[in-house]
Amino acid sequence: EAQVTQNPRYLITVTGKKLTVTCSQNMNHEYMSWYRQDPGLGLRQIYYSMNVEVTDKGDVPEGYKVSRKEKRNFPLILESPSPNQTSLYFCASSLLGQAGRLLNSPLHFGNGTRLTVT
Amino acid sequence: AQKVTQAQTEISVVEKEDVTLDCVYETRDTTYYLFWYKQPPSGELVFLIRRNSFDEQNEISGRYSWNFQKSTSSFNFTITASQVVDSAVYFCALIRTGRRALTFGSGTRLQVQP
């Protein structure tokens, strides 16, 4: 079954304790991305990757790191989590269209990771 | 800059009522795509529809229909004869040429009461 798998689903941690949220897709998609969802703000992009070893910042990258060593995996790393990073996180993937454009392909989202930082 | 506005924060209807969710967008590009996603209480995001800026035909899929009007920069979503299972948060989103991310609206929470 084609899917984007995120783990864990729920995570409660304390300020400053490094954590990693994993994301894996089995659709051979070039593009992967992380979003965070906050009430009243919709979804905002944190980081994205157009292919292996190619990553770039989204709209709200502060406090996050990512890596793309393999095509299928795109982990999100919080080196020193803070309470303002309490949020619902989504990983997404997509094919790239003509000329490497992310224009008309729908994003496939994982089921989300609800992170609470105390 | 691009922006998506979903002015309706929350809508509550009774089952079998029709309901329209509004989406207004801003972009200077002539080529762009619009999307609707559904987020049920379980939390996942479900893709509903994609529409490109050159196709203003309305689309119908079962009880769902979408009205795209470039003249008013709107891409509204109507659910006919709503059901309790339609209760969810619905997001409208936009992407334009060269962008690497969708711009999402803040979402509309729809509650369908039995």
Side-chain angles (χ1 to χ4, degrees):
Chain A
E1 182 191 347
Q3 58 186 4
V4 178
T5 305
Q6 286 178 237
N7 280 297
R9 246 350 257 285
Y10 300 93
L11 181 56
I12 301 173
T13 190
V14 296
T15 299
K17 187 175 180 183
K18 180 179 178 180
L19 66 91
T20 299
V21 184
T22 64
C23 174
S24 180
Q25 50 93 6
N26 62 0
M27 295 170 279
N28 203 35
H29 285 168
E30 301 94 345
Y31 174 91
M32 296 186 76
S33 181
W34 278 101
Y35 285 80
R36 61 178 286 174
Q37 181 183 352
D38 301 291
L41 296 176
L43 282 82
R44 295 175 295 166
Q45 190 187 51
I46 303 169
Y47 267 94
Y48 66 92
S49 169
M50 301 297 283
N51 214 324
V52 175
E53 303 290 4
V54 181
T55 63
D56 209 342
K57 295 176 181 178
D59 295 322
V60 288
E62 294 76 24
Y64 304 96
K65 283 174 59 177
V66 293
S67 69
R68 188 94 181 270
K69 294 180 180 149
E70 307 161 282
K71 197 171 188 178
R72 61 184 293 124
N73 295 324
F74 190 46
L76 179 69
I77 302 155
L78 284 72
E79 295 269 0
S80 183
S82 62
N84 64 12
Q85 293 177 298
T86 292
S87 187
L88 178 58
Y89 291 86
F90 286 98
C91 181
S93 73
S94 179
L95 286 171
L96 290 176
Q98 211 172 20
R101 291 180 177 181
L102 177 69
L103 189 64
N104 61 339
S105 303
L107 290 183
H108 298 263
F109 285 91
N111 285 341
T113 296
R114 188 166 292 282
L115 171 65
T116 302
V117 184
T118 60
Chain B
Q2 54 187 35
K3 186 179 176 182
V4 176
T5 302
Q6 295 179 256
Q8 304 151 308
T9 306
E10 189 160 342
I11 301 174
S12 183
V13 298
V14 177
E15 211 170 15
K16 294 185 185 162
E17 282 185 30
D18 298 347
V19 58
T20 296
L21 309 182
D22 298 333
C23 173
V24 174
Y25 62 92
E26 295 175 30
T27 180
R28 289 189 208 132
D29 263 17
T30 55
T31 303
Y32 52 89
Y33 277 75
L34 295 161
F35 301 79
W36 275 95
Y37 283 86
K38 174 182 179 180
Q39 186 176 43
S42 48
E44 72 272 22
L45 284 160
V46 179
F47 166 73
L48 294 178
I49 190 172
R50 170 187 63 217
R51 176 52 51 87
N52 78 57
S53 54
F54 298 108
D55 182 4
E56 288 194 71
Q57 267 194 322
N58 290 337
E59 179 149 346
I60 299 174
S61 176
R63 297 183 296 106
Y64 295 172
S65 63
W66 290 268
N67 180 256
F68 175 34
Q69 293 199 336
K70 281 179 83 168
S71 60
T72 56
S73 296
S74 65
F75 186 42
N76 296 338
F77 173 30
T78 297
I79 301 175
T80 303
S82 59
Q83 299 176 2
V84 173
V85 294
D86 295 326
S87 296
V89 180
Y90 291 86
F91 290 97
C92 181
L94 163 75
I95 189 167
R96 60 176 173 81
T97 308
R99 284 282 295 171
R100 300 288 189 240
L102 269 65
T103 297
F104 283 83
S106 55
T108 296
R109 181 178 299 277
L110 173 65
Q111 292 198 342
V112 182
Q113 311 286 349

